């Protein structure tokens, strides 16, 4: 009989595993400061196709604060109000210049615009009708800057490559003063915000001079040395401080303190081309609560915002081209930057009707004081993930990375035990101290004579030329005279078979004979002087 087995039931056991939800990684970059948020709030608009580099930008002091841009042999006026609507076309363009326009300046009422070009001519235009009103020509070289005084409607300041600063009477179309003192191109200048008679100029002779038109001899009343060719200078709003730009640094000077340097900001990697002052923010209640900043641009493509009250960089922004000029509107709502490839980056910031009142509401978005950061301690995980930009605390132990020594070519060859190549290499450099040092190292390694025996005719000629020049020098003669004798003994056959090597030997013989003659003469002189010195010593 067949065995009947009961049917086995199979059971499956299911297990559930908890899945940890993926958390969004925290951004490593720190949150923006209120200052950075303010400067990032400018809505950037590109104004392209302006042919060439934007050499100068100037804002009208009167509302709605038109701005003029100089490029090639033209200048164009733009309305900041049209930027909000996306309209980048200029209000009008003046293209009647005979050469490249170098500088622009509005009069304090915004009705007139002065422009200079590289032909040495300065022209004054009516902004409304675009009519040229005055032509001022006295510069013999290109004019690099022109400036209307802040408190004067009748005069004009200019400077150029003739190293002369000129003070003009615009109404009479005549020259008032020629101010001499710079020794190189005058590239920039600015007028005092508190006096109509004082102004500053910067030159490629590294100096910035302070002038006063009331001084009779037309000499500068103060001078400071920036240390590099000066590209731009500005007065700060107080009138007692100035800022100068040149090289990769922006320096602040105290004029009231006699030209003392207050601070040097060196955060740019290339030449700083232009600087300006911006007043950031307004308060309510009829009064103004403002903070001043220095905006600087350079050939490295960066715009830096410098708080010279706290002496620190508060914001940095990168642009895709070298920057040539920068300007901020008087109402602090429009920022314009000109590049070297003919593009203008114009930023327009929306105004707020109801700004929060209070002491800290300086920029229109709240306090600019940075919130207190949480102190990192070794008990926190983030303490061990600090970046290279983290500043050390007072109790931290600093481990300095040793600088890698850059070896010369002959040192590298000596490390590889290529003795002959090291000797030939240093002979070609024509530095006697290095040659003797290599020879002494080869003597210590007992390889110098072997290297001499392996030299070919051309390399042997280099060695004989060196011995001819330096064998008779007292500080090298102890080594080189013995080496000379060994070279002649070891390579006599090669020297006899080569006319060039024979010439080197003849020259070496003449040098040694001349040195022997000099030594004999010195011994004769010593023999004459020694008795006289003995007699003088007895007395």
């Amino acid at each position: 009989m067949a065995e009947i087995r009961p049917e086995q039931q199979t059971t499956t056991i299911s297990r559930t595993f908890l899945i940890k939800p993926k958390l969004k990684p925290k951004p490593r970059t720190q949150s923006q400061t209120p200052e950075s948020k303010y400067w990032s709030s400018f809505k950037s608009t590109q104004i392209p196709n302006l042919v060439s580099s934007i050499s100068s930008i100037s804002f009208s002091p009167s509302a709605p604060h038109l701005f003029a841009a100089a490029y090639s042999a033209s200048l164009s006026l733009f309305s900041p109000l049209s930027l909000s609507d996306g309209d980048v076309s200029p209000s009008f363009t003046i293209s009647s210049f005979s050469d490249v326009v170098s500088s622009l300046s509005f009069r304090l009422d915004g009705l007139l615009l002065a422009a200079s070009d590289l032909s040495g001519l300065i022209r004054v235009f009516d902004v409304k009708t675009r009519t040229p009103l005055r032509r001022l020509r006295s510069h013999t070289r290109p004019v690099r800057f022109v400036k209307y005084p802040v408190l004067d409607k009748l005069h004009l300041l200019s400077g150029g490559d003739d190293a002369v600063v000129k003070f003009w009477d615009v109404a009479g179309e005549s020259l008032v003063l020629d101010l001499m003192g710079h020794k190189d191109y005058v590239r920039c200048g600015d007028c005092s915000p508190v006096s109509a008679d004082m102004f500053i100029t910067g030159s490629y002779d590294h100096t910035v001079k302070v002038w006063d038109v009331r001084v009779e001899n037309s000499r500068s009343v103060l001078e400071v040395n920036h240390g590099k060719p000066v590209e731009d200078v500005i007065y700060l709003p107080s009138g007692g401080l100035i800022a100068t730009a040149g090289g990769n640094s922006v320096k602040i000077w105290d004029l009231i303190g006699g030209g003392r340097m207050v601070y040097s900001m060196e955060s740019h990697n290339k030449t700083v081309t232009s600087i300006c002052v911006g007043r950031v923010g307004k308060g309510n209640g009829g009064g103004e609560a403002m903070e001043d900043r220095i905006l600087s641009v350079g050939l490295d493509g960066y715009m830096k915002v410098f708080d010279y009250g706290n002496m620190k960089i508060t914001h940095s922004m990168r642009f895709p081209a070298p920057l040539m000029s920068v300007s901020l509107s008087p109402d602090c709502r429009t920022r314009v930057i000109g590049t070297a490839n003919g593009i203008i980056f114009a930023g327009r910031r929306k105004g707020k009707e109801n700004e929060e009142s209070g002491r800290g509401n300086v920029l229109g978005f709240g306090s600019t004081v940075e919130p207190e950061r949480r102190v990192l301690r070794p008990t926190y995980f983030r303490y061990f993930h600090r970046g290279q930009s983290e500043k050390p605390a007072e109790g931290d132990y600093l481990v300095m990375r040793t600088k890698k020594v850059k070896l010369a070519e002959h040192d590298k060859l000596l490390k590889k035990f290529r003795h002959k190549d090291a000797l030939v290499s240093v002979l070609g450099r024509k530095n006697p101290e290095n040659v003797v040092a290599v020879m002494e190292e080869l003597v210590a390694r007992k390889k110098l004579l072997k290297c001499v025996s392996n030299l070919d005719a051309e390399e042997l000629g280099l060695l004989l030329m060196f011995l001819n020049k330096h064998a008779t020098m007292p500080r090298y003669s102890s080594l080189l005279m013995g080496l000379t004798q060994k070279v002649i003994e070891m390579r006599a056959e090669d020297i006899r078979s080569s006319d060039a090597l024979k010439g080197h030997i003849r020259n070496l013989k003449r040098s040694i004979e001349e040195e022997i003659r000099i030594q004999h003469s010195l011994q004769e002189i010593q023999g004459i002087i020694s008795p006289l010195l003995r007699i003088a010593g007895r007395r």
Side-chain angles (χ1 to χ4, degrees), residues 472-492:
T472 57
M473 295 181 67
R475 54 179 171 172
Y476 305 140
S477 59
S478 60
L479 172 66
L480 297 185
M481 290 303 295
L483 178 62
T484 302
Q485 184 178 358
K486 289 291 184 180
V487 170
I488 295 174
E489 292 175 358
M490 296 172 58
R491 305 300 298 269

Side-chain angles (χ1 to χ4, degrees), residues 277-290:
V277 173
R279 288 193 169 187
V280 287
K282 287 187 177 182
N284 293 328
E288 293 183 341
M290 302 186 183

Side-chain angles (χ1 to χ4, degrees), residues 63-126:
H65 304 299
L66 303 175
F67 67 89
Y71 57 93
S72 186
S74 305
L75 69 87
S76 296
L77 257 71
F78 298 87
S79 173
L81 301 178
S82 63
L83 297 177
S84 303
D85 303 329
D87 184 10
V88 296
S89 58
S91 301
F92 63 82
T93 300
I94 300 175
S95 304
S96 58
F97 295 90
S98 60
D99 210 329
V100 176
V101 182
S102 58
S103 181
L104 303 171
S105 179
F106 279 94
R107 199 170 70 172
L108 63 93
D109 56 5
L111 298 178
L112 298 183
L113 175 64
S116 63
D117 61 28
L118 299 188
S119 69
L121 179 64
I122 301 171
R123 303 174 71 182
V124 180
F125 295 90
D126 187 327

Side-chain angles (χ1 to χ4, degrees), residues 32-42 277-284 287-295 305-307 310 312-315 328 331-334 349-371:
Q32 280 190 326
T33 62
E35 180 92 4
S36 297
K37 290 179 181 178
Y38 171 76
W39 292 109
S40 301
S41 65
F42 284 83
V277 173
R279 288 193 169 187
V280 287
K282 287 187 177 182
N284 293 328
E288 293 183 341
M290 302 186 183
E291 292 185 4
D292 296 318
R293 302 286 188 269
I294 296 177
L295 277 70
V305 181
F306 180 62
D307 178 5
N310 297 318
K312 66 177 182 178
I313 300 292
T314 58
H315 184 66
L328 193 67
D331 61 359
C332 313
R333 293 179 57 189
T334 308
R349 181 172 174 268
K350 293 182 179 180
K352 295 185 179 181
E353 296 294 333
N354 299 321
E355 296 181 342
E356 296 178 6
S357 61
R359 183 178 177 183
N361 189 19
V362 182
L363 305 179
F365 56 82
S367 173
T368 58
V369 180
E370 296 184 9

